[in-house]
Amino acid sequence: MNTELLMALELLEKERNLKKESMCEALEAAVATAYKKHLGGAADTHATVDRKTGDIRVYCKKMVVEEVFDPLIEISLEEAQSIDKKYQLGDMVEFTADPAKFGRIAAITAKQMVVQKIREAERGNIYDEYNEKKNDIMTGKVEKIDRRGVLVDLGTTETVLMANEQIPGEEYYVGKRIKVYVFEVSRSTKNIQLLISRTHPNLVRKLFEQEVPEIADGTVQIKNVAREAGSRSKISVFSDIKDVDAVGSCVGQKGARVAAVVDELNGEKIDIVEYSEDPAAYISAALSPAEVVSVDIDEINKSAFVVVPEYQLSLAIGKEGQNARLAARLTGWKIDIKSDGVTMGPPEDK
């Protein structure tokens, strides 16, 4: 009984999450290939690994012929019938070989192939693990910072947060823990490649899913996200359930929920607005924190003419047009903003 082999396979199954059956199959293929190479490459061979004892057996098949030209693959009728009278021309005779006689080269070949199969299986397991995380967020630790970007350790693999996927102005240091959005997972013959981002709009969406139970359970839904990473994001939310305050649920008590997301995004401002099927109401909300006097809708061109108080014009447009730009992205409408020409602000409270 080959107890050492069984123990090794069972250890790999536990520690590396590799199925014992797949490793036995890999070992059988490796041993058969090694023995075939040892014999010169022409032999018809296959191997078996006993799942209970760990014993390895190699079998070689030869065809029964009248005249033998290649003894590796052929056997004469006379020799075959000396083994068993039943054999006739064209039959296949199976012989048992001794794996111990493979020789050094064949043994090395078998070992290399087994290692390769194990690595392939490990990569497959890692790929399956991370492919489930595609379009989701993961927490990683910064391992290294260089010209390529920030090397992030995600547990069983490492990947680089490229410069264009980093939040502008955010500082990274070795040991810092960050949350990243996984937007692509691919597999090559050598490794698993994860593409991660700190700037993707869906990072905002997923962070709110983590912080807001009502979003996680579907009570509140995020309709859309518009983002300029490192500066400002706008999200629109709604609920089909009466009396549920979608915006309030996302803000949280004393702003705790939105504050947690803001902290994770390095202080990025976040506007949370109520989604509406009414384009005018939706656009008005999207231009928050600015007040809106009126919204005229052009359905054909999907554009909106918005009037705001004079003293709110710069707020509605935003610095370098950011507020209007994000509102247009959030709603999907082209927005033209004008003032009402009234220069005085609202009356002060007395």
Side-chain angles (χ1 to χ4, degrees), residues 167-171 176 198 230 261-268:
I167 295 176
E170 184 171 36
E171 293 184 2
K176 182 179 181 179
R198 291 273 293 162
V261 177
V262 169
D263 287 345
E264 178 58 41
L265 297 178
N266 197 41
E268 185 173 312

Side-chain angles (χ1 to χ4, degrees), residues 2-300:
N2 195 341
T3 55
E4 289 185 0
L5 174 62
L6 287 177
M7 288 174 64
L9 294 179
E10 288 169 2
L11 188 64
L12 287 170
E13 186 173 42
K14 290 179 182 178
E15 293 188 351
R16 302 198 184 187
N17 197 28
L18 300 176
K19 293 181 180 179
K20 182 179 175 182
E21 180 60 28
S22 65
M23 288 187 288
C24 285
E25 292 173 358
L27 183 57
E28 288 169 343
V31 170
T33 300
Y35 188 67
K36 184 175 182 177
K37 184 176 181 180
H38 179 63
L39 294 178
D44 182 359
T45 64
H46 73 278
T48 63
V49 176
D50 192 300
R51 274 39 169 188
K52 293 182 179 180
T53 65
D55 290 337
I56 302 174
R57 293 185 181 276
V58 179
Y59 301 92
C60 182
K61 291 183 179 180
K62 296 183 181 182
M63 181 179 286
V64 179
V65 296
E66 286 187 4
E67 186 177 358
V68 176
F69 291 98
D70 188 345
L72 288 177
I73 58 175
E74 297 172 337
I75 184 174
S76 67
L77 178 61
E78 181 181 358
E79 186 179 353
Q81 290 185 340
S82 69
I83 299 171
D84 194 319
K85 293 292 186 182
K86 70 176 182 180
Y87 288 121
Q88 300 296 323
L89 292 174
D91 288 347
M92 300 298 292
V93 181
E94 191 171 72
F95 296 89
T96 304
D98 183 2
K101 297 180 180 179
F102 284 5
R104 182 173 174 274
I105 295 177
I108 291 174
T109 303
K111 180 180 178 182
Q112 289 174 339
M113 291 191 68
V114 170
V115 170
Q116 180 183 348
K117 292 291 183 182
I118 289 174
R119 286 175 179 170
E120 289 175 358
E122 283 184 321
R123 282 197 295 271
N125 287 337
I126 294 173
Y127 174 77
D128 291 341
E129 175 189 348
Y130 284 106
N131 199 42
E132 292 179 359
K133 294 292 186 180
K134 184 178 177 181
N135 300 324
D136 205 346
I137 58 177
M138 297 185 68
T139 301
K141 184 172 70 173
V142 175
E143 287 290 307
K144 184 181 178 183
I145 303 167
D146 57 26
R147 290 182 179 179
R148 289 190 309 152
V150 177
L151 183 66
V152 181
D153 180 5
L154 294 172
T156 52
T157 192
E158 295 177 338
T159 192
V160 176
L161 178 64
M162 305 301 288
N164 63 323
E165 299 295 345
Q166 297 172 23
I167 295 176
E170 184 171 36
E171 293 184 2
Y172 302 94
Y173 54 85
V174 174
K176 182 179 181 179
R177 300 192 69 81
I178 57 174
K179 290 182 179 180
V180 296
Y181 179 73
V182 181
F183 64 90
E184 189 60 64
V185 181
S186 60
R187 175 171 57 181
S188 67
T189 55
K190 293 184 178 181
N191 54 31
I192 308 298
Q193 179 67 42
L194 272 69
L195 299 182
I196 59 175
S197 175
R198 291 273 293 162
T199 63
H200 202 288
N202 281 345
L203 177 60
V204 177
R205 184 188 296 270
K206 292 295 180 178
L207 287 172
F208 272 101
E209 286 181 8
Q210 285 189 347
E211 293 294 333
V212 182
E214 291 87 347
I215 293 178
D217 65 20
T219 302
V220 173
Q221 299 175 50
I222 297 177
K223 183 66 177 179
N224 203 2
V225 179
R227 185 182 186 201
E228 293 189 359
S231 181
R232 195 179 207 98
S233 287
K234 287 181 181 285
I235 70 168
S236 56
V237 297
F238 74 104
S239 177
D240 292 327
I241 301 174
K242 188 179 179 181
D243 298 329
V244 171
D245 181 359
V247 174
S249 297
C250 296
V251 172
Q253 189 173 10
K254 296 182 179 180
R257 291 174 176 176
V258 68
V261 177
V262 169
D263 287 345
E264 178 58 41
L265 297 178
N266 197 41
E268 185 173 312
K269 293 183 178 68
I270 299 176
D271 297 331
I272 306 170
V273 304
E274 186 87 30
Y275 171 76
S276 175
E277 292 289 347
D278 176 8
Y282 189 23
I283 291 167
S284 294
L287 286 168
S288 173
E291 299 173 11
V292 174
V293 174
S294 64
V295 179
D296 290 327
I297 296 296
D298 181 350
E299 294 278 359
I300 297 175

